[in-house]
Each structure stands twice: as structure tokens, then as C-alpha cells.
Amino acid sequence: MTETGLAFSGGGIRSAAFSSGVLRRLLQGNTKIDYLSCVSGGGYTGSAYVDWKYRNGNVDNPEWHQEFFEHMRKQSGLMCNWQIPLQGVVDTLIILSLILFVCVLMPLIVWGSYVFPVAYAIDLLFGNLLRAEFQCPDPPTTSLPLNNTADNATLHVPQGTQRSHCQVETG
């Protein structure tokens, strides 16, 4: 007498759906499954089957096979159950509010408790300096002539005025 092993591979919900179809056909053909190995997405179907079988006294029965697959079909609305439109709208609103909470409100709550005290401390310590007006010395009111020579251009300042630290150089 041989024993039958069944392995379900991974791949998310697509794998779970494919595994469910394979399991359904095997059980409809009265195949006795002795060993079951599941990975990732195939584990959805495999664990549901093992749980359902355990709850029904470890006995394979065509009546509860049909009930099992109908139960899986009803529960297959991954995120939202759009078979009932009002339920689908409610599920969608719940998911959107969770996304809003996680992406917008939680960062405000978590980082706000850190950012606002730091901003207050910076304002308290450096606020006067940060809000001070920046004063530049007034530029001369008369234009200063440039004397262009072959080597470079230099700024000539008339007698009686202070000489600037800047020089105009041409490359």
C-alpha cells in the first residue's frame, strides 16, 4: 500500500487559489492524502484544510468537502467583500481610514512629540539671532571707474575714500 503526499508551493493568494483547486479535484477523486507540505501562499489552503479536517474528526467526507470549499469561497474576499456591495463599501472605507491613520496621523503623533519641543528649544535659544535683520554696508553712491589693462582689471578708488577688500580679477 502506498501513501500519498501533497505539496503546495508559495506565491501568495494566487498560490492559495491554485492549491485550493488542486485539493478540490484530489478530494473529489477520493484521493487519501497522508502527508501535506505547504510553503507561503500554499499554506493558506493547506492549513485551512488541516484545520477543517481536524474539526470534523479527521475523517474525509465528500459532504464536508463541499462545505469546506463553499466556506473558502465565501471567505476569499481578500480585502473587501464586494459580493455584498454595502459590505464592500464599508470594508473599503475601513481600509482607507487605516491607511490615513498609519501614513498621516501616526507620524504626526510620534514625531510631533519630538519635533515641537526641539523647535521650541531652538526658538528659545537662537530665536533672536534667527529673526535679526541682516544689515549690509551701503554700496557707494558713485560708480567707480574700471581701468582695464591687458593683464587684469583693477578697481580704482578715488582719493579720500576707503579701499575695499575686494578686487576685480579677470581670468
Side-chain angles (χ1 to χ4, degrees):
M1 180 161 203
T2 60
E3 295 181 338
T4 304
L6 181 60
F8 292 142
S9 67
I13 197 67
R14 290 182 306 262
S15 174
F18 179 76
S19 300
S20 174
V22 169
L23 182 62
R24 174 177 255 179
R25 290 298 175 213
L26 288 173
L27 292 176
Q28 284 176 348
N30 294 327
T31 303
K32 183 178 183 264
I33 300 169
D34 300 306
Y35 299 101
L36 182 62
S37 174
C38 305
V39 175
S40 187
Y44 295 134
T45 301
S47 60
Y49 170 69
V50 169
D51 177 61
W52 194 269
K53 188 172 179 177
Y54 177 76
R55 290 173 191 243
N56 287 289
N58 270 344
V59 177
D60 277 329
N61 182 344
E63 293 171 5
W64 74 258
H65 291 167
Q66 184 65 29
E67 189 178 330
F68 167 71
F69 287 108
E70 288 303 316
H71 175 75
M72 284 200 45
R73 179 175 287 147
K74 286 179 186 174
Q75 301 301 321
S76 67
L78 182 63
M79 294 284 189
C80 305
N81 185 3
W82 283 99
Q83 294 172 351
I84 305 169
L86 183 60
Q87 183 67 38
V89 170
V90 170
D91 291 347
T92 301
L93 290 175
I94 289 171
I95 289 172
L96 289 176
S97 62
L98 285 172
I99 290 171
L100 176 72
F101 180 74
V102 169
C103 295
V104 176
L105 296 177
M106 280 299 293
L108 285 175
I109 292 168
V110 171
W111 288 103
S113 63
Y114 170 75
V115 169
F116 292 127
V118 170
Y120 179 77
I122 289 173
D123 183 53
L124 186 66
L125 295 173
F126 304 108
N128 292 337
L129 180 65
L130 292 171
R131 283 188 286 277
E133 268 189 46
F134 186 68
Q135 299 289 333
C136 292
D138 292 332
T141 56
T142 60
S143 63
L144 302 174
L146 277 178
N147 182 13
N148 290 327
T149 62
D151 297 345
N152 62 2
T154 59
L155 181 63
H156 288 279
V157 179
Q159 291 286 342
T161 60
Q162 275 189 318
R163 184 164 173 104
S164 163
H165 287 59
C166 301
Q167 290 185 349
V168 178
E169 295 182 20
T170 57

